[in-house]
Structure formats: C-alpha cells, structure tokens
Amino acid sequence: MGHTFIPLVDLRHGLIARAVPGDSPAPGGLLSDRLGRPLRDLRISVTDRCNFRCSYCMPKEVFDKSHAFLPHSALLSFEEITRTARVFVAHGVRKLRLTGGEPLLRKNLERLIEMLAALRTPDGQPLDITLTTNGSLLARKARALKDAGLQRVTVSLDALDDAIFRRMNDVDFPVADVLRGIEEAQAVGLAPIKVNMVVKRGTNDHEVLPMARHFRHSGIVLRFIEYMDVGATNGWRMDEVLPSAQLIETLQHTHALQAIDPQVEGETAERWRYVDGSGEIGLISSVTQAFCRDCNRARLSTEGKLFLCLFASAGHDLRTLLRGGASDEQIAAALAGIWSQRSDRYSELRGAAGGGSDAGARRVEMHYIGG
Ligand code: SAM
Ligand code: SF4
Ligand code: SF4
C-alpha cells in the first residue's frame, strides 16, 4: 500500500513539523523501529510554562516577558492526551511520565492522572505512571496527586545550599520549600521517590557530596545527570559537563559503593548501591555514555507533536489528526508509520563524532517536550 503524506507546517520555535504517514496499515501489536527498538515509554508534556528559569533549560534572557508561550487552545486537552495515550498503550507503551515545563502548573492535573490511571495494557495491567516536577508546588499537591492514582514522583533538585539553588532556579526560590515537597510526597506514599540533580561543573559540582550525604538512608534515589546540550538556548559547553565516571570516582573516596545490574531494558540510569545497604544512587550519562541502543522513549509535546528523540529538530503533528476527525485506527496507523521509520540516535552519533555538540542547530527546547 502506498503512503500519502500530510505535510503540516509549524511555525512555532521555527520548526517545520514532519509529515505524518497517512495510510500505513493499522498495526496489530508491538512496534519496532528501524534499529529494532520497541516503543515502551511515553513522556507527555502538559505545559510549556514554568515558574523556574533554570539557566540550562529556560534561561531568563530568552524566556522573558516577551516570550510567547502557547495559548490554551493549542494545548492538547486531557481527553486528547488520554486518547493518544490509549493508542500508544495498545502498541507497547507501559510507562507514562508527565512532564513540562512544570507539570504542576497545569490546572486540574489530578483529573488527567485519574483518566490515565484508568487505562490498561492489552493484557489488563495498570500502567506505571509518574511525574517529573521541580517540587515547588509539591507540598501543596502531593496528597491530591496520590489520591488521583499517581504512583511515584521524580523531583529535580540541583543543590542543598540555598544560595546556589536560588541562583540555579534563577527566580530566588528557596530550597527548603522543595525539601518540604519531597517530605510530603514521602508522607503520602508517592514511592519510590527519585531526585534528579543536573551537575554543571563550576556551578554545583561541589554540591554532589552534600546531596549524596543528605539522601543516603532516606529511601530516596538520588540521580546525577550530566548537563546536556538540549535545545539551542542554554549556551552548552563540554567543559561544563562533569563526566559520570569522574563523579563516581569522587564519591567512592568517601562512600563504599558497588554497581547494580540493570533491571529493565532501556533504563537510562546506571545504578549503584551503598555497600552497607543504606541506599542507592544513579548516574545518567547522556553525554559521555550514550544509551540510544535501548532507547524506547517517545515524547508528546504540549501541543501534540510526537518527537522520537530529545534532540530532534521536528515533531510529527498528531493534534491535527486528533482534531481532524481521525479514528483511533488511523491514529494507530500514523503511529506505526512514524515509529517504524525511526532511526534517531543523536547521543551515540555525537559520541562517535568526538563529543562536540552541534548546539546552535535548530532543536526543540527541553521545557517544550519535557525531559
Ligand atoms: N520542570 C520539571 C522539572 O524540572 O523537573 C519537569 C521538566 S524538566 C525539562 C525535566 C528534567 O530535565 C529535569 O530533571 C531537569 O533538570 C532536566 N533538564 C533540563 N535541562 C537539562 C539539561 N540541559 N541537561 C540535563 N538535564 C536537563
Ligand atoms: Fe522549569 Fe524544569 Fe526547565 Fe527548570 S528544568 S526551567 S524547573 S522546566
Ligand atoms: Fe534516545 Fe535520542 Fe537520547 Fe539517544 S539521544 S537516548 S535516541 S532520546
């Protein structure tokens, strides 16, 4: 059967949307891309707005008063998100992660969580539903999120030192409020909690040890993330990346740690445990050790574009299908057509090319498709 392509032009962010294959045969089950990778994990951005201005993600100078965020009508509605997720789940997705922007800024997010929590895999299993947040509103919202069916949460926190944290979020937000959010999430049973720390050499690398000490014995898994060259606005430089190999070496001077075998295929973090059983940490080495080979993640932007890679320059416009009267079968066929053509492996190629970034190339911004 031939393909008709629906070219859809997107002027936001200067990106051109990719064609959506129009009439691929509807798939019967699991999908596989051109490198044999299944589709397992869908990250859904529910807003492009954020109350922080982390310089590595939404630098203040760029995302200021004159920046045009999406109007409400452009956002996928909860019904549209749930319908899309249902189609994805029918074709292999087992894990949903809500992200943004700051997902807790989206009004009535609990309602969306309830709707997603009602979905089942083809063999009747509930999904693994989680959320990544900067934690600023978590103390207030943890209970409602848990009651709506959220199982666990990942909180981003780059420093314990209040002055450093305030400087990194660049809106003078105090660290104590995020720590209260984490405590509340723990209290209501949003477990296991993970804390993500983006490490920037020269900015917060001296916070690695205090953070490790703080979260050891807490049941919370602290994960160190290499500063990535996502987007085109953060002025990324390789010399600001602290390679995970160096970080673990430093940690091992003061903490006895041993590596844990990966449990799940496509896991992004390399896991280590304290030998005395007092906890676990993770290393996410997106820059120095690419994990594209197992990458089973798709990303749905706030306005319904499907991105196949964090470093993609364009997404496939599903919203036009959703709003244009397409049936679930047609959406499934489009998804199958898109996934079967996927060959993205940006980090691997960057590694093979010697580690330099092509930052400055037109690339989607992190706050727009989420992490
Ligand atoms: N606002 C929420 C938060 O900060 O958790 C969710 C969205 S944020 C884009 C998702 C994750 O991406 C966060 O853990 C953040 O630290 C991470 N992130 C953003 N820009 C990054 C960069 N340049 N390198 C590495 N991680 C980054
Ligand atoms: Fe906002 Fe999260 Fe980006 Fe920081 S990393 S600016 S909290 S979206
Ligand atoms: Fe996946 Fe793209 Fe990241 Fe590779 S660079 S792990 S393909 S998102």
Side-chain angles (χ1 to χ4, degrees), residues 50 56-57 99-103 132-134 156 196 198 225-228 230 234 366-367 370-371:
C50 188
Y56 52 71
C57 178
T99 176
E102 173 45 44
T132 305
T133 172
N134 63 25
S156 304
N196 279 355
V198 175
I225 304 182
E226 286 178 349
Y227 169 42
M228 286 187 285
V230 283
N234 63 10
M366 188 80 151
H367 73 281

Side-chain angles (χ1 to χ4, degrees), residues 37 290-293 295-297 299 308-311 342 344-348 350:
R37 298 170 296 187
F291 37 78
C292 302
R293 201 174 311 269
C295 180
N296 53 21
R297 293 176 291 284
R299 293 175 164 85
L308 303 180
C309 175
L310 195 48
F311 297 90
R342 176 181 188 249
D344 302 64
R345 51 190 190 104
Y346 173 85
S347 291
E348 251 178 36
R350 172 191 46 207

Side-chain angles (χ1 to χ4, degrees), residues 36-220:
R37 298 170 296 187
L39 171 62
R40 290 288 182 209
D41 180 331
L42 179 63
R43 302 186 173 196
I44 304 170
S45 172
V46 294
T47 177
D48 60 338
R49 287 163 205 257
C50 188
N51 53 344
F52 283 13
R53 285 293 177 274
C54 310
S55 59
Y56 52 71
C57 178
M58 290 181 81
K60 218 175 201 165
E61 311 72 54
V62 180
F63 298 94
D64 58 9
K65 281 199 190 77
S66 63
H67 180 77
F69 289 98
L70 293 168
H72 195 261
S73 60
L75 272 51
L76 288 192
S77 67
F78 291 169
E79 286 71 23
E80 288 168 334
I81 292 175
T82 307
R83 183 175 173 214
T84 309
R86 185 180 301 116
V87 171
F88 277 61
V89 168
H91 297 289
V93 163
R94 296 288 171 272
K95 180 169 158 191
L96 300 176
R97 177 179 295 279
L98 300 181
T99 176
E102 173 45 44
L104 299 187
L105 289 180
R106 180 87 185 247
K107 251 197 186 150
N108 302 321
L109 189 73
E110 307 81 80
R111 176 70 197 122
L112 174 63
I113 290 168
E114 273 171 18
M115 291 162 75
L116 295 174
L119 297 178
R120 291 290 174 271
T121 64
D123 54 354
Q125 299 303 310
L127 301 170
D128 176 11
I129 304 179
T130 181
L131 175 145
T132 305
T133 172
N134 63 25
S136 58
L137 301 168
L138 195 54
R140 226 177 299 161
K141 301 206 169 185
R143 164 58 62 193
L145 294 169
K146 173 71 182 172
D147 290 347
L150 188 69
Q151 290 145 2
R152 56 195 183 89
V153 73
T154 298
V155 182
S156 304
L157 178 65
D158 296 334
L160 281 178
D161 180 281
D162 194 50
I164 297 172
F165 184 66
R166 284 176 193 255
R167 210 174 313 132
M168 287 186 80
N169 64 55
D170 216 8
V171 293
D172 211 26
F173 196 87
V175 74
D177 289 16
V178 177
L179 293 175
R180 267 201 314 116
I182 294 173
E183 270 169 35
E184 187 59 24
Q186 249 183 330
V188 303
L190 283 168
I193 297 178
K194 290 178 185 160
V195 167
N196 279 355
M197 172 182 183
V198 175
V199 183
K200 254 182 115 172
R201 201 203 286 270
T203 302
N204 65 339
D205 47 343
H206 48 294
E207 283 289 292
V208 165
L209 283 172
M211 287 279 284
R213 268 197 299 272
H214 183 86
F215 289 108
R216 189 172 174 175
H217 299 285
S218 69
I220 291 171

Side-chain angles (χ1 to χ4, degrees), residues 222-287:
L222 173 62
R223 306 189 315 165
F224 301 101
I225 304 182
E226 286 178 349
Y227 169 42
M228 286 187 285
D229 51 332
V230 283
T233 56
N234 63 10
W236 183 89
R237 295 199 329 247
M238 186 65 199
D239 60 7
E240 287 184 311
V241 177
L242 180 68
S244 293
Q246 224 170 301
L247 190 150
I248 193 76
E249 204 186 306
T250 310
L251 274 178
Q252 281 178 310
H253 289 314
T254 45
H255 301 270
L257 286 153
Q258 64 185 194
I260 310 176
D261 281 342
Q263 283 176 337
V264 188
E265 195 188 322
E267 199 162 47
T268 47
E270 182 189 310
R271 300 167 60 206
W272 291 72
R273 61 183 285 277
Y274 293 104
V275 171
D276 65 1
S278 57
E280 182 182 324
I281 59 160
L283 299 172
I284 301 184
S285 320
S286 344
V287 177

